Amino acid sequence: MASTTFLLELGVEELPPAAIDSLSDALARGIADGLREAEVSFDDVQAYATPRRLAVHVTQLADKQPDREVERRGPALAAAFNDGKPTKAAEGFARSCGVGVDELIHLETDKGTWLGYRELQRGEATEQLLPDIVSKAIAALPVPKNMRWGASRIEFSRPVHWLVMLYGDRVVEAEILGLTAGRTTYGHRFHAPSAIELGHVDDYLTTLEEAYVLADRDRRRERIREQVLAEAECQEALAVIDEELLTEVSGLVEWPVALTGSFDERFLEVPPECLISSMKANQKYFHLLDDEGRLKPLFITVSNIESHNPQLVIEGNEKVIRPRLADAAFFYDTDRKTPLDSRRKGLASVVFQQQLGTLADKASRSAVVACHIAEQIGGDVTHAERAAQLAKCDLVTEMVLEFPELQGIMGCYYARHDGEAEDVAQALYEQYLPRFAGDTIPQSRTGLALALADRLDTLVGIFGIGQRPTGTKDPFALRRAAIGVLNIMIKGELDLDLRELLELAAAQHKDLPKAKGLVDDVLDYMLERFRAWTQDEDIPVEVYLAVRARPVTKPLDFARRIRAVHAFSQREEAAALAAANKRVSNILAKQEHDGSTGVAADLLREDAERALASALASQRAEVEPLIRSARYTEALDILAGLREPVDRFFDDVMVVVDDLEVRRNRLALLASLQALFLEVADIAELQQ
């Protein structure tokens, strides 16, 4: 079976840069899935894309489907013949197969014998299958919003202008989106606007590059990175390359050319975050830092043309950025004229959530919880209350209304300008930490208290109105809030009881429709986040289940137990002791033991049970102080020494004996063994 390379290119007007990668990947995935469904073999599928084209390149694509032997089953043998002569049923089946009755075969099944027919079904040519496969892949693209153009009723993300479908050097005959497939493509809109005839699929990338188009997304992205770094080096500066911005810029150009521009140094009086946000959000510029990490009055723009007069392009960009930065400076100056404290009354008109009240209500609730947390972790209660009152005030400033990503950042700047305590100002920024996986947690006690209080208020409030997250919807980012609380408590080593804090947070809300069982519901949801946390730490889920089986409500304590149990699970003794604990659990449940752990020494008849009782007493004395001080790893290391007496007990001792007193005593001994391990976790879960 022969194979060659296939190319699809859909030429469009400029696509939204944020959608290019998702559309490109979805198109490649759709074509690959279509080929697999048609059982056409291929080696690799590569997605290419620029603002003006979506392309898919398939290597080693077979020229046809494989031939298949098809088996058809007809009437049962008993109904196919009457006195040795074929019935109408047999003759009709033979005609449908295009053969005579004598060419049919007998098919033996577990339900009897049937007439049948086997034929070789020739595979269809790939070129005949491709139009339908491509059409379905395009129709299934996740286009956020379709549009029409001209008098046509055809819809797509942007108007389409050309369609290339080549199998090797041959055009695949097809009509898609109102376009007839051909071999004509187009290069750069300005540098190479004329039509280009592709001779062979393998010429695609080089032909376009000669026409000032880098169709390979990854190569274009890396070309931009290299150019930006080179420009920064020329300026003796450090370029800050945000990966999201890099991807977006790559989606705006086909032939990137990085250029460095400058702006007036007076704008550096504005907080650098404001200038950076303006440059990134509005102009898609990369900013530069000096050796000490301070913003330089320079920017790097990526042009889509190789100008004969690059200075003209630079001056044009400098002219555009000037009023943008002037706006940022104006917002900053205007906002500082009104202290944050004076903006508190404005929060009363900003709804947090219809059933949960305004931002002012949220601030009041959070203040109570923040004060309680601050007291418990050794923070300043007065500062925690003040930070909670001011936490959301920057949301009504001009700067944050223009650049929402600066919330918290501007609150910190404005609080410092107003003369607030430094840890209060710092807390206004830290309340949103951690913002993503791996991000830092608040460093100040006030920031820790505020960050926890704000998230806990949101969690109990949204759960309390019955809007807990579903598999696909989490509009209030409750998963992130829950994980944030856990990370803060664990990384900050805060020995706080989550149930107690949730009860306090829930008490600040009035008339929640789902108040019954609310704290238990939120607590279970939050502790369940440890399942993902253990996966991120490469810890087996059985370890999480072992700890989850215990009523542990302090996240820091939960994490310490998980790490201790994970270390214990690596020991040679772990499997045997986990199996023994599982056996103990089954025995106690089957015998309906009352939970008593009191062991009578005079009822210990066998050497093995006396040895186990002695070992338990000895190790309990060593282990209990360690458990009280949360030194779980050391405690489990000691308990690992119980393997030998436990194994010996089960080898030599019959638990369920006729003597009821002896039986109860042995059950109490096993319950004592189980209870000692349960002080840390239910290690029986490790057997899973």
Side-chain angles (χ1 to χ4, degrees), residues 131-403:
D132 186 56
I133 291 172
V134 171
S135 293
K136 288 180 178 177
I138 291 175
L141 289 178
V143 176
K145 190 175 183 180
N146 277 317
M147 63 180 295
R148 295 178 185 171
W149 56 95
S152 171
R153 299 189 64 81
I154 294 170
E155 294 185 350
F156 195 61
S157 176
R158 292 292 187 272
V160 295
H161 294 296
W162 73 86
L163 173 66
V164 174
M165 286 178 65
L166 285 181
Y167 184 65
D169 60 357
R170 299 193 304 273
V171 173
V172 178
E173 294 184 6
E175 186 170 324
I176 299 170
L177 293 177
L179 298 172
T180 301
R183 62 174 73 247
T184 305
T185 185
Y186 292 85
H188 193 280
R189 186 184 291 279
F190 303 111
H191 289 306
S194 301
I196 300 170
E197 298 297 306
L198 289 171
H200 194 281
V201 172
D202 295 343
D203 303 331
Y204 180 65
L205 291 180
T206 54
T207 300
L208 283 185
E209 187 165 354
E210 290 170 0
Y212 293 84
V213 174
L214 288 176
D216 187 320
R217 297 176 306 175
D218 294 337
R219 189 168 168 225
R220 191 168 67 252
R221 188 181 294 114
E222 291 311 305
R223 173 78 66 86
I224 295 170
R225 188 195 305 275
E226 292 168 5
Q227 291 183 358
V228 169
L229 293 175
E231 285 289 311
E233 188 175 353
C234 292
Q235 300 297 328
E236 297 182 345
L238 173 67
V240 179
I241 300 180
D242 180 284
E243 293 301 320
E244 288 186 8
L245 178 61
L246 179 62
T247 297
E248 187 174 8
V249 170
S250 178
L252 289 168
V253 299
E254 291 194 314
W255 190 255
V257 178
L259 302 168
T260 303
S262 63
F263 56 85
D264 197 319
E265 288 193 23
R266 66 184 176 86
F267 289 123
L268 294 179
E269 297 173 6
V270 178
E273 293 90 344
C274 305
L275 305 180
I276 293 167
S277 286
S278 182
M279 287 190 282
K280 285 172 60 175
N282 295 320
Q283 303 306 129
K284 316 305 176 190
Y285 294 163
F286 297 93
H287 63 279
L288 302 177
L289 305 177
D290 63 18
D291 291 339
E292 297 181 6
R294 295 174 302 198
L295 184 66
K296 297 195 74 168
L298 301 170
F299 63 86
I300 296 176
T301 182
V302 178
S303 174
N304 190 34
I305 59 171
E306 200 168 276
S307 176
H308 295 299
N309 188 357
Q311 186 59 37
L312 198 61
V313 178
I314 293 171
E315 289 173 1
N317 280 274
E318 290 175 342
K319 184 177 180 181
V320 170
I321 194 62
R322 197 174 300 119
R324 294 288 190 183
L325 299 184
D327 285 345
F330 174 76
F331 294 149
Y332 182 59
D333 291 339
T334 302
D335 286 340
R336 288 185 297 169
K337 294 175 182 177
T338 304
L340 282 180
D341 187 64
S342 299
R343 297 182 185 274
R344 288 173 56 191
K345 58 180 179 293
L347 299 181
S349 60
V350 181
V351 175
F352 166 60
Q353 200 282 335
Q354 188 174 7
Q355 293 174 266
L356 300 177
T358 64
L359 288 179
D361 298 324
K362 181 173 178 57
S364 297
R365 296 192 300 262
S366 297
V368 175
V369 182
C371 289
H372 176 78
I373 294 173
E375 185 177 17
Q376 292 212 327
I377 65 175
D380 188 310
V381 174
T382 304
H383 287 178
E385 181 176 19
R386 181 62 172 171
Q389 291 170 343
L390 299 178
K392 306 303 177 186
C393 289
D394 68 345
L395 296 181
V396 293
T397 62
E398 294 294 330
M399 186 71 81
V400 175
L401 288 173
E402 180 70 18
F403 302 109

Side-chain angles (χ1 to χ4, degrees), residues 28 39-40 51 119 146 178 185 290 304 408 434 543 578 662 672:
E39 298 181 2
V40 180
E119 64 177 334
N146 277 317
T185 185
D290 63 18
N304 190 34
V543 173
V662 173
S672 178

